[in-house]
Amino acid sequence: MARQHRILNKKGRLTVHPKGFGFVICDDDSDDLFVPREAMGAALDGDIVSVVVVKKRRRGDEGKIKSVVTRKRQKISGVLSRENKDWIVIPSDPKIAALYPMIHARQSKKNKVGMAVIATIVTYPNSDRGLFMEVCVDRVIGISDCIETDIGMLLSENDVDSNFDTKIFSEAKSYDAVPSLAVNRSERKDLRDKSFITIDPDDARDHDDAICIENVNDGYRVSIAIADVSHYVQESSVIDIEAYRRSFSIYLPDRVISMLPEHLSNDLCSLKPNVDRYAMVVSFFVDQQGVISDSEFCAAIIRSQARLSYQGLASVLRGHPLSSEYESWCDYLLLVAKVGMLLSKQRKNSLNFFMEEPQVILDKNDSSIISDVVKKKQTNEERRSYKIVEAYMVTANELVGTFFIENKMLSLWRHHPSPSNEQLKRIEGILLYSDTTVEENSLQQKGVISELIDQMQNKPNASLISSMILRCLPSAEYSGLFNGHFGLNASSYLHFTSPIRRYPDIVIHRLLKQKLYEMGTYCGVTKTTESISQERINEIGTNCSTQEKHVVALERKILGLYRAYLMRQHKGACFFGKIVSVTTFGVFVEIESPFVEGLVKTKDLFGDESFCFEPDLFRIKGEKSGKCFAIGDKISVKVSSVSTQKQQIDFILTTD
């Protein structure tokens, strides 16, 4: 009797590549399954599918989609066109267009050729109808081939709304413009006489943290006030439900799409100077060596004394205050800097990456015109200013986490897993490639990776090496399980300090208030609430982790869109660049000005010549010519094509 092979059925989320194949990310945490184009069935990108393993491969198993379990995509965006007498939508998302280049659209008065639209899927493809899909136009975004329209389509595709429902707006407006201590003096500590100040970027839209330093015996009393957003975002309210759905604010070059209505994010919850504001406060003693003790927590009412900036703090550190305001705060800011550096030095073995970040420069009179994309420039003093303020916030997060552990409380932790042995091996290869000496098996030891990263900060390719290492590390996530934070070398870490832009911080504030209420101290609430379950904490963690990935991906796509629109103006232009990534299909080249990245495909590197991809050596090599292209190599390229739809810039080599 012939031996029968066991058929493996799995379930997971499908991600489609713009070339038409895809991968199923399995629910059982097993390796992703490769799905060729012809085995996609009727599934769409993002769907939860049932898949059967049909072939065992050395580079990963191959699967065939058996059925769609859950449809995750209800809408598509695209451009309206006519095919004979029929209306069609040409999808803007390459992951849809790969399998459905034209989608039938129902007749509507809204239909107009060339307009970008958002449409609801009314008929999904299935085994009976083949690849037929039909949509109904909901909304016209605008004229196609315009960056504002393309951004609108990306936001709609990702279910992101810049506006809030009228019920949410009304609920936000129902709160008093100025907080009052008179009605809840027993629930809040009056700290309005303390010298709290906010320090943020020049262009900050909201201010959710403030710092106060007091000289005391042989040390300093530090108080960190965080906007009490949970006072206004009551659990299960319409604002809370929407904040949970969004989970994070989204930061774009020309705007912020806030997690909260503007009346809260930019007004009532923002720690503006010279107005009373509710806050949750972490207070602790720091000695002259930076050792922390005597931490306390309370709900309070504060009054910030000044709204200052990183750039302003940097000017004080340089000895040349920006203005008379900074001159008046000079001694206090130097004290803030001194204590901040003491706290920073206590943070041993945390990873300090040096990354070069892009900044989109828009025309002052017309935000649809992209003037440039540049490297965000920071002086040493500005980097030091950021590090100083960050030290206070990280300390506050960790102290609240320690309080939760000591009191055996449920919490929503910020978990950053330690790298696996395979990831450590890749990191070791990167460090060796950058001429950094690495002792065998040393990376498993505490603090070694951090020390090696610090050593290479002044090397020419420090930013490139940092980004390569960062891509090797696992992603941080929100979890109900207490597992520590590898990147910060913190055993008790959570997010407490940014509740205006992050939902997990609101959850932590609620849990802290509940415990303070039980302890009979200043808690900001008048009654106890129903205890949260571990199951609910886990659910919130999963939702917020997923939303965070979506937000990061969306912000990256929109940055890519701005870069693509800018580079359309430079088609045919030549630039000198540096290879920053090597793949089986080509090399990615970064140019300095404009600060963008583009792809040189393998056919443009080697023509018809066979080539060998050598990932351990970070290079690709022609088999006959021996011609190599490796990470860090500098080459001359020409802009050959630009796709705003794919947010992709293509280069070819030049002989210059």
Side-chain angles (χ1 to χ4, degrees):
M1 183 176 170
R3 183 180 176 184
Q4 291 185 338
H5 292 281
R6 186 166 62 95
I7 297 175
L8 292 175
N9 288 297
K10 297 195 175 190
K11 192 177 83 167
R13 181 171 59 86
L14 173 67
T15 61
V16 177
H17 189 276
K19 288 188 176 180
F21 59 84
F23 293 90
V24 173
I25 302 168
C26 299
D27 289 351
D28 60 5
D29 292 329
S30 59
D31 291 341
D32 297 350
L33 287 174
F34 171 74
V35 182
R37 185 188 191 100
E38 62 273 14
M40 285 288 183
L44 300 176
D45 178 69
D47 285 348
I48 305 301
V49 298
S50 174
V51 60
V52 59
V53 178
V54 296
K55 189 184 294 184
K56 292 283 186 179
R57 307 187 315 161
R58 189 177 63 179
R59 294 178 59 188
D61 293 348
E62 182 178 312
K64 179 179 180 180
I65 292 176
K66 189 177 176 183
S67 64
V68 175
V69 178
T70 307
R71 293 288 188 185
K72 286 295 185 179
R73 190 182 289 256
Q74 283 76 46
K75 297 180 184 292
I76 65 157
S77 64
V79 177
L80 275 168
S81 186
R82 294 297 291 262
E83 185 78 9
N84 299 321
K85 294 183 179 180
D86 294 328
W87 283 101
I88 60 169
V89 172
I90 301 170
S92 60
D93 187 343
K95 294 181 177 183
I96 296 295
L99 299 173
Y100 303 89
M102 294 188 298
I103 299 173
H104 187 268
R106 287 183 177 177
Q107 181 71 34
S108 169
K109 292 179 180 179
K110 298 175 184 176
N111 292 2
K112 188 176 178 181
V113 171
M115 299 304 285
V117 299
I118 301 299
T120 296
I121 301 172
V122 291
T123 304
Y124 286 93
N126 65 27
S127 55
D128 296 331
R129 288 185 295 270
L131 296 184
F132 177 79
M133 181 160 58
E134 187 177 40
V135 297
C136 179
V137 173
D138 289 335
R139 183 160 54 99
V140 176
I141 300 293
I143 190 167
S144 60
D145 201 32
C146 163
I147 190 162
E148 291 176 330
T149 300
D150 285 353
I151 290 172
M153 287 198 293
L154 277 174
L155 295 177
S156 294
E157 283 173 11
N158 288 273
D159 199 23
V160 174
D161 195 342
S162 301
N163 302 311
F164 287 87
D165 184 89
T166 52
K167 289 182 180 179
I168 297 170
F169 182 80
S170 298
E171 185 174 288
K173 280 289 187 180
S174 69
Y175 288 102
D176 293 336
V178 179
S180 172
L181 186 65
V183 295
N184 63 354
R185 187 174 296 276
S186 62
E187 286 88 42
R188 290 187 186 271
K189 195 171 186 178
D190 189 352
L191 300 178
R192 288 175 292 182
D193 61 335
K194 302 294 183 182
S195 297
F196 282 100
I197 59 171
T198 62
I199 305 174
D200 294 289
D202 272 338
D203 58 355
R205 274 87 160 188
D206 52 63
H207 309 272
D208 51 12
D209 56 82
I211 300 167
C212 173
I213 312 292
E214 299 170 279
N215 278 298
V216 294
N217 295 333
D218 299 320
Y220 315 93
R221 191 74 198 176
V222 177
S223 297
I224 301 169
I226 307 300
D228 186 3
V229 176
S230 65
H231 175 80
Y232 302 98
V233 184
Q234 297 287 321
E235 197 165 1
S236 300
S237 65
V238 290
I239 296 177
D240 181 50
I241 292 167
E242 180 63 12
Y244 177 72
R245 187 184 74 82
R246 298 185 180 211
S247 292
F248 298 91
S249 294
I250 302 171
Y251 292 82
L252 307 181
D254 64 336
R255 77 195 97 152
V256 174
I257 301 174
S258 180
M259 181 181 75
L260 302 173
E262 187 176 359
H263 184 58
L264 297 184
S265 63
N266 290 15
D267 191 4
L268 292 189
C269 296
S270 189
L271 304 182
K272 295 180 174 182
N274 304 314
V275 292
D276 293 352
R277 287 291 181 261
Y278 290 146
M280 297 300 294
V281 177
V282 179
S283 175
F284 53 93
F285 176 77
V286 184
D287 70 15
Q288 298 293 345
Q289 285 70 47
V291 177
I292 296 170
S293 60
D294 190 25
S295 57
E296 297 176 354
F297 309 89
C298 72
I301 187 166
I302 72 160
R303 178 177 286 219
S304 173
Q305 305 294 308
R307 182 169 66 193
L308 307 176
S309 70
Y310 292 135
Q311 292 83 349
L313 175 56
S315 73
V316 170
L317 296 178
R318 282 194 296 269
H320 301 287
L322 276 179
S323 63
S324 57
E325 180 182 26
Y326 284 94
E327 287 178 1
S328 67
W329 283 99
C330 189
D331 290 342
Y332 193 77
L333 285 173
L334 290 173
L335 180 62
V336 168
K338 178 182 178 181
V339 177
M341 292 310 293
L342 285 174
L343 295 174
S344 183
K345 287 176 182 176
Q346 289 295 313
R347 300 220 52 79
K348 296 176 181 177
N349 302 327
S350 61
L351 303 183
N352 298 303
F353 290 110
F354 173 68
M355 307 291 288
E356 293 174 329
E357 296 182 23
Q359 180 179 7
V360 177
I361 309 297
L362 301 175
D363 185 274
K364 291 181 180 178
N365 300 314
D366 187 349
S367 62
S368 67
I369 299 174
I370 306 123
S371 301
D372 205 353
V373 179
V374 300
K375 287 183 181 178
K376 194 177 287 184
K377 294 181 179 178
Q378 280 189 320
T379 64
N380 289 333
E381 288 81 9
E382 285 171 345
R383 279 194 288 271
R384 188 178 163 203
S385 297
Y386 176 82
K387 188 175 181 179
I388 286 165
V389 176
E390 182 186 42
Y392 286 102
M393 300 306 122
V394 171
T395 300
N397 287 334
E398 195 162 11
L399 285 174
V400 175
T402 300
F403 177 80
F404 275 49
I405 290 172
E406 289 174 348
N407 287 278
K408 297 180 173 56
M409 297 165 60
L410 288 179
S411 179
L412 184 59
W413 299 101
R414 183 59 169 173
H415 173 47
H416 184 214
S418 298
S420 64
N421 289 334
E422 184 181 341
Q423 289 167 329
L424 287 173
K425 188 176 179 180
R426 289 204 296 269
I427 292 170
E428 183 177 354
I430 293 167
L431 290 168
L432 290 171
Y433 183 75
S434 67
D435 294 325
T436 303
T437 303
V438 182
E439 294 183 16
E440 189 175 356
N441 298 323
S442 64
L443 296 187
Q444 288 93 338
Q445 298 172 27
K446 196 171 186 178
V448 172
I449 294 178
S450 168
E451 185 180 332
L452 292 172
I453 289 172
D454 289 342
Q455 288 175 11
M456 67 180 194
Q457 292 301 321
N458 295 321
K459 291 189 176 184
N461 285 330
S463 177
L464 172 58
I465 300 303
S466 287
S467 65
M468 290 170 67
I469 293 174
L470 194 58
R471 284 196 294 268
C472 289
L473 293 173
S475 299
E477 59 190 11
Y478 293 98
S479 173
L481 300 176
F482 169 62
N483 287 309
H485 195 293
F486 173 78
L488 291 171
N489 189 34
S491 59
S492 56
Y493 200 73
L494 45 70
H495 277 166
F496 168 79
T497 54
S498 296
I500 291 178
R501 64 181 178 89
R502 290 190 307 227
Y503 191 81
D505 303 52
I506 296 176
V507 175
I508 294 301
H509 280 221
R510 289 171 179 161
L511 293 170
L512 178 60
K513 282 181 172 182
Q514 179 67 25
K515 188 62 182 179
L516 295 177
Y517 177 87
E518 293 171 7
M519 295 169 66
T521 187
Y522 296 109
C523 59
V525 293
T526 57
K527 60 181 180 180
T528 185
T529 57
E530 186 178 342
S531 298
I532 194 167
S533 67
Q534 182 70 61
E535 183 180 8
R536 178 57 180 157
I537 285 280
N538 294 342
E539 184 182 324
I540 294 171
T542 299
N543 174 73
C544 290
S545 296
T546 301
Q547 286 300 108
E548 183 179 34
K549 289 174 185 175
H550 288 335
V551 167
V552 169
L554 179 59
E555 289 174 342
R556 189 180 296 122
K557 275 186 177 182
I558 291 177
L559 172 62
L561 192 61
Y562 275 100
R563 284 172 150 173
Y565 267 95
L566 175 67
M567 293 308 288
R568 288 206 308 193
Q569 306 167 27
H570 296 284
K571 192 172 179 181
C574 295
F575 297 93
F576 200 56
K578 176 172 63 179
I579 296 175
V580 293
S581 180
V582 178
T583 72
T584 55
F585 52 85
V587 299
F588 285 93
V589 178
E590 177 187 277
I591 59 177
E592 290 277 325
S593 182
F595 186 39
V596 302
E597 192 177 291
L599 173 68
V600 184
K601 297 173 181 174
T602 49
K603 67 180 180 63
D604 295 316
L605 293 173
F606 302 107
D608 295 330
E609 181 185 2
S610 298
F611 59 88
C612 180
F613 175 53
E614 300 176 326
D616 292 341
L617 298 174
F618 305 98
R619 71 183 187 184
I620 193 168
K621 180 180 179 181
E623 290 188 349
K624 289 184 178 179
S625 65
K627 186 165 55 174
C628 285
F629 296 92
I631 285 179
D633 287 354
K634 294 180 179 179
I635 59 175
S636 183
V637 295
K638 179 191 285 189
V639 181
S640 59
S641 66
V642 177
S643 170
T644 54
Q645 182 186 24
K646 296 179 181 177
Q647 302 97 46
Q648 183 174 309
I649 302 161
D650 287 334
F651 295 144
I652 57 173
L653 295 178
T654 69
T655 54
D656 297 341

